[in-house]
Amino acid sequence: MNVCDSDMLDSVFLAYGASKVNNLSEADVVILNTCSVRVQSEQKAFSYLGRVKEFKQKKTCIKIVVIGCMAERLGHNIKKRFNSVDLIIGAKDIDNAALRIMNLFCTNYSAKKVNPEIKSEIVRYVTIMRGCDNYCSYCTVPFVRGREISINYETIVNKCSSMVKNGAREIILLGQNVNSYQYEDINFASLIKKIVTIENLERIRFITNHPKDLSDDLVKIMATEPKVCSHIHLPMQSASDKILKAMNRKYSYEHYLKLIKKLRTAVPSVSVTTDIIVGFPGETNEDFENTLKAVKTIRFGGLYVFRYSPRPNTTAAAMIDDVPFEEKKRRHAIILKESNKISIEIVSEMLGSIQQVLVEEIKNGIIKARTRTGRKVFAEGRKEYVGKHINVNIKEAKINSLFGDIV
Ligand code: 5AD
Ligand code: SF4
């Protein structure tokens, strides 16, 4: 979501005549887009602010802007810690961010309405909804991003169409919980049915899903619509019903397993990826072992595992954070090790196979492409392949990337 918001801002800045530079010495303004999901993300942002503060002592005219969830959560308290910060714009005000930043330099901009530049990249993100109403007990998102709002489907379809006209071939639909998309009588499955009709669009992906809301209609579309990729990110968080209940996830492990079976029956090639939290308050070794067992049973195509960190205002923050840090680290390492082992097994099975991939870019004669299941594939290639489907014979397989020859 942050990558997408930064990208959207980038397009508006380009339209204002600003351009992106890659180092501080050339910059007039530094914009830090922040995340509040875990305490580590906030610590990283603070340490970056420390570094730019030092830089500002040398180049005093540079402006520092903090945007996004941390700006929403902490507001002017950020300025108390870093008086070098010139402007703070919270996640809920992101739509006006570019204008407010331009006004730091020249007030005339307030009168100027611009059409954001449409970038000609192969893979583009499109936000279909903002906010979240689920209130999982550990999560700060409903507080910093606000209530769930679905964007008008006509706006979304038009945006996708113009991106495709400008060269996009894959669209990734984004929302905190795309399965609960609803605008008038259009739900997520019917939104996809509209988007697949866009000519020259080759692929559609979507993130992220909530197991309590995944509909049979969506599973059916994944099975029948060739443009919809065989990949679904379905955060499990835990396989212990006690912990799932304490997390307010509103499903049981059994329900989760049933969904996996349903998906795999309908789309045999599907890759399911997930998120897992270890060390949630009250997570015993037995609860953790259940999650580990689930990781072994389900064999995810990939996973992100996080050590629980209490977030202010959430209901879990009032629970006793009773799993010691060292134990969280141990559980984190065990899940990661198991997941890496499974990933190696999955990619090893792909050795010698021919994979159909969509080429996203070329750098130094090497194309970067992706399988329908979302795995990165590299091969020697030519510029003409960018944006096209090609076949690659897989010769080498690493956890996060495959290498091969174009057939
Ligand atoms: N502590 C640890 N992980 C968290 N996540 C969300 N909130 C927390 C938290 N307080 C994880 C969840 C979610 C992912 C985006 O981040 O697994 O799916
Ligand atoms: Fe957070 Fe739960 Fe909403 Fe995901 S569904 S953003 S974890 S509250």
Side-chain angles (χ1 to χ4, degrees), residues 134-369:
N134 285 321
Y135 292 94
C136 300
S137 66
Y138 51 81
C139 185
T140 189
V141 168
F143 303 96
V144 288
R145 291 225 176 231
R147 299 304 302 256
E148 184 182 292
I149 299 167
S150 294
I151 294 168
N152 185 338
Y153 59 89
E154 284 175 354
T155 313
I156 297 170
V157 174
N158 289 340
K159 196 165 181 181
C160 295
S161 295
S162 42
M163 284 176 168
V164 173
K165 279 200 190 92
N166 271 270
R169 293 294 172 263
E170 176 172 325
I171 300 274
I172 306 181
L173 303 172
L174 285 182
Q176 249 70 38
N177 176 16
V178 292
N179 312 113
S180 61
Y181 176 89
Q182 189 74 49
Y183 192 92
E184 292 167 353
D185 55 343
I186 301 296
N187 64 16
F188 186 53
S190 26
L191 177 69
I192 291 194
K193 278 187 200 148
K194 287 185 183 294
I195 297 174
V196 291
T197 62
I198 299 173
E199 214 183 320
N200 293 326
L201 176 65
E202 302 275 350
R203 283 182 172 180
I204 300 172
R205 287 183 207 281
F206 47 87
I207 34 181
T208 179
N209 300 273
H210 197 305
K212 77 175 165 59
D213 297 320
L214 184 71
S215 71
D216 287 350
D217 274 357
L218 184 63
V219 177
K220 199 168 148 205
I221 286 189
M222 289 186 73
T224 52
E225 179 43 63
K227 287 187 184 180
V228 179
C229 286
S230 318
H231 172 217
I232 186 160
H233 188 67
L234 196 60
M236 177 176 80
Q237 313 297 3
S238 168
S240 150
D241 286 345
K242 179 191 91 189
I243 297 297
L244 285 171
K245 193 159 195 298
M247 286 177 165
N248 192 30
R249 291 289 287 175
K250 302 191 175 85
Y251 56 85
S252 63
Y253 175 56
E254 197 190 327
H255 173 79
Y256 188 86
L257 258 189
K258 272 193 195 143
L259 285 180
I260 300 281
K261 285 196 185 123
K262 200 187 278 182
L263 279 160
R264 287 184 171 159
T265 308
V267 192
S269 64
V270 74
S271 169
V272 184
T273 54
T274 204
D275 291 344
I276 286 171
I277 299 177
V278 292
F280 186 82
E283 187 188 70
T284 60
N285 200 42
E286 197 188 334
D287 297 318
F288 167 71
E289 288 293 331
N290 283 339
T291 303
L292 179 62
K293 211 154 66 193
V295 168
K296 291 180 185 174
T297 311
I298 297 171
R299 297 177 69 80
F300 293 103
L303 61 79
Y304 297 98
V305 52
F306 307 103
R307 293 183 296 255
Y308 168 71
S309 70
R311 308 306 293 128
N313 300 323
T314 60
T315 34
M319 302 173 190
I320 301 164
D321 185 14
D322 56 356
V323 181
F325 184 69
E326 284 306 314
E327 181 58 16
K328 284 181 188 162
K329 264 170 77 176
R330 188 186 75 89
R331 294 179 189 177
H332 182 270
I334 292 173
I335 297 280
L336 206 58
K337 194 169 162 212
E338 188 59 38
S339 156
N340 286 345
K341 189 178 136 233
I342 295 166
S343 291
I344 297 256
E345 285 166 9
I346 294 174
V347 292
S348 300
E349 281 166 21
M350 294 166 83
L351 278 173
S353 69
I354 309 266
Q355 296 288 327
Q356 196 200 47
V357 297
L358 178 68
V359 183
E360 296 178 3
E361 57 183 32
I362 180 159
K363 264 190 203 146
N364 306 323
I366 304 291
I367 56 143
K368 182 188 144 211

